[in-house]
Amino acid sequence: MRYLGSKTLLLNEISQIITSCAVEGTFCDPFGGIGTVGSCMKKQGYKVITGDILNFAHYFQIALIQLDAPMEFAAIKKKFLFKDNSEIEKYMNTLIASKGWLIEEYAMKRQFFTLENARHIQGCINCIEKWKEKNILDEQEYKVLLASLIQSFDKIANTAGTYYAYLKKYYRKALQPFCFELLQPIKGKRGCCSFLMDAAKLIEISNYDILYLDPPYNERRYGKYYHLPETIAIGENPCPMGKSGVSTPYEICSKFNKKNQASDEFEKIIRMARAKYIIFHYTDKGLISTNTVRDILSAKGHVDEFYFDSKGYHTTKKTDECQHHIFRVIV
Ligand SMILES: C[S@@+](CC[C@H](N)C(=O)[O-])C[C@H]1O[C@@H](n2cnc3c(N)ncnc32)[C@H](O)[C@@H]1O
């Protein structure tokens, strides 16, 4: 899924910095997003613990990081006589709803999806919610189905990346047919865990070998930019407003999105952190000034700094064009 602030293009560089600290142990990513960095570290054999405050991001983390094997879906298989999970995928792809909130609000009033794709997505939402009501899905199966649905529809959403706006004309990808596919857990170390939790709490409750911190660096709230995946994850009918269809009553806000709170919150989590190594991934253009970051981190241990451009190239130019500034603290 396309995700604001995703580190997909920088995974090699992040991974090198992490392995320079320790090649095994616990790796905690409390601002884990949809699990991109956590998945990479799980593959490399770390025991990964992730968190996020958004429900849909948490569901991705469960599906990719916490699970060691695909879900059984035993009750569904029994009821429909499905032999394996691919038959669940096939079944989901036959579902079509004639009406519903997603069709009306996000295809007819706002062109986030073609009408045909919206009918399929609505069909899947209705089915997952019905299975949950009838207790033929357990909590984790429900979360995996919803994360898989969100991942599947993101591929054909008529957006430039986030759900804050849709494109004026249906673009090439949005005209492709919707296809439901189950997310598969990443193979790696067993016993990884994911939490729907504020980063401060996850940092407070345990000690970790490596703490990787990748908070938002500006005022763009993830809950607003990903309102539609989040609405579906919380299982509520939305009250969409304006052109973007943001459902206003529901807005999670992070202190890292607020100029007057970000530095204090950062100081608080670094003070509480019990880790051997801290990796802080930020930018010189962020709400917390670079000098403040240096002051706070150097109170904790020895700090090394690395700059990368958006394609992941190492750079020595410490200017505004350098988007990624990674600090490694040996505590
Ligand atoms: C820059 S993104 C992380 C991107 C991720 N590393 C990736 O590669 O996809 C920041 C994430 O932090 C989450 N977040 C913001 N404030 C938070 C908080 N106080 N506690 C936990 N997560 C938070 C956001 O919901 C978002 O998913």
Side-chain angles (χ1 to χ4, degrees):
M1 175 177 181
R2 292 164 296 178
Y3 200 57
L4 208 60
S6 165
K7 301 302 178 291
T8 308
L9 294 176
L10 243 75
L11 283 175
N12 283 342
E13 290 70 22
I14 296 169
S15 173
Q16 272 172 21
I17 295 176
I18 290 164
T19 48
S20 75
C21 299
V23 289
E24 55 181 17
T26 50
F27 173 84
C28 178
D29 181 5
F31 301 92
I34 55 168
T36 309
V37 177
S39 294
C40 173
M41 293 305 126
K42 181 182 176 188
K43 260 187 227 159
Q44 295 191 30
Y46 295 88
K47 181 176 173 191
V48 176
I49 295 103
T50 59
D52 208 282
I53 46 176
L54 286 183
N55 289 270
F56 86 92
H58 172 62
Y59 295 180
F60 269 73
Q61 294 175 10
I62 296 270
L64 299 171
I65 296 168
Q66 181 163 307
L67 290 183
D68 295 316
M71 296 267 38
E72 277 294 323
F73 298 108
I76 291 173
K77 283 184 187 149
K78 191 171 168 206
K79 181 172 166 61
F80 292 92
L81 304 176
F82 293 150
K83 285 194 234 54
D84 54 31
N85 286 358
S86 73
E87 295 199 13
I88 300 180
E89 290 177 322
K90 271 191 213 141
Y91 177 76
M92 299 299 279
N93 282 316
T94 63
L95 301 171
I96 303 175
S98 54
K99 57 182 175 86
W101 62 264
L102 186 120
I103 299 173
E104 279 136 41
E105 299 290 348
Y106 297 100
M108 291 163 83
K109 287 192 198 156
R110 304 170 184 86
Q111 284 76 53
F112 280 91
F113 301 102
T114 62
L115 199 53
E116 199 185 336
N117 280 338
R119 289 196 171 120
H120 283 286
I121 301 165
Q122 185 80 62
C124 291
I125 296 173
N126 297 351
C127 170
I128 297 169
E129 291 302 330
K130 194 169 84 196
W131 284 350
K132 189 189 175 205
E133 259 172 52
K134 293 193 165 174
N135 279 328
I136 49 174
L137 280 180
D138 68 25
E139 272 294 308
Q140 283 205 339
E141 289 170 339
Y142 174 71
K143 291 174 183 172
V144 170
L145 282 182
L146 284 182
S148 303
L149 174 63
I150 293 166
Q151 164 82 353
S152 303
F153 74 55
D154 190 66
K155 292 182 185 154
I156 46 97
N158 190 36
T159 64
T162 76
Y163 290 81
Y164 198 56
Y166 57 87
L167 301 173
K168 279 193 190 131
K169 282 190 185 164
Y170 284 114
Y171 86 130
R172 196 174 36 81
K173 272 191 190 165
L175 295 169
Q176 298 299 310
F178 167 76
C179 176
F180 179 90
E181 280 175 305
L182 280 169
L183 280 172
Q184 299 301 326
I186 301 294
K187 291 198 174 79
K189 184 89 177 167
R190 298 181 84 82
C192 299
C193 303
S194 301
F195 297 89
L196 178 64
M197 194 178 272
D198 193 280
K201 184 97 203 268
L202 190 54
I203 290 168
E204 192 184 17
I205 59 176
S206 189
N207 49 344
Y208 307 102
D209 292 312
I210 304 163
L211 189 56
Y212 171 74
L213 303 172
D214 182 24
Y217 64 86
N218 57 27
E219 277 156 348
R220 282 188 282 179
R221 297 176 190 180
Y222 280 77
K224 197 165 170 181
Y225 281 81
Y226 292 92
H227 61 91
L228 186 55
E230 189 60 5
T231 295
I232 291 171
I234 59 174
E236 276 175 16
N237 286 2
C239 317
M241 308 278 284
K243 261 193 123 177
S244 60
V246 175
S247 187
T248 45
Y250 188 78
E251 237 191 73
I252 297 176
C253 188
S254 167
K255 290 185 178 162
F256 286 90
N257 292 126
K258 294 187 173 168
K259 174 87 187 137
N260 61 350
Q261 295 184 6
S263 299
D264 287 351
E265 188 64 8
F266 178 57
E267 217 240 313
K268 180 178 122 187
I269 63 171
I270 294 299
R271 207 177 341 104
M272 285 188 321
R274 286 168 289 134
K276 293 180 189 152
Y277 302 92
I278 300 171
I279 318 281
F280 181 53
H281 198 145
Y282 210 57
T283 163
D284 290 355
K285 291 180 273 181
L287 296 177
I288 312 172
S289 79
T290 304
N291 282 339
T292 305
V293 171
R294 283 196 186 106
D295 287 348
I296 293 172
L297 292 179
S298 53
K300 201 80 184 177
H302 172 78
V303 182
D304 292 308
E305 300 183 31
F306 308 86
Y307 279 95
F308 298 99
D309 67 18
S310 56
K311 292 200 180 89
Y313 295 118
H314 194 283
T315 165
T316 47
K317 268 204 301 170
K318 295 171 189 173
T319 66
D320 265 358
E321 304 131 46
C322 300
Q323 305 198 352
H324 298 269
H325 191 168
I326 303 186
F327 300 79
R328 178 183 63 194
V329 188
I330 305 173
V331 181

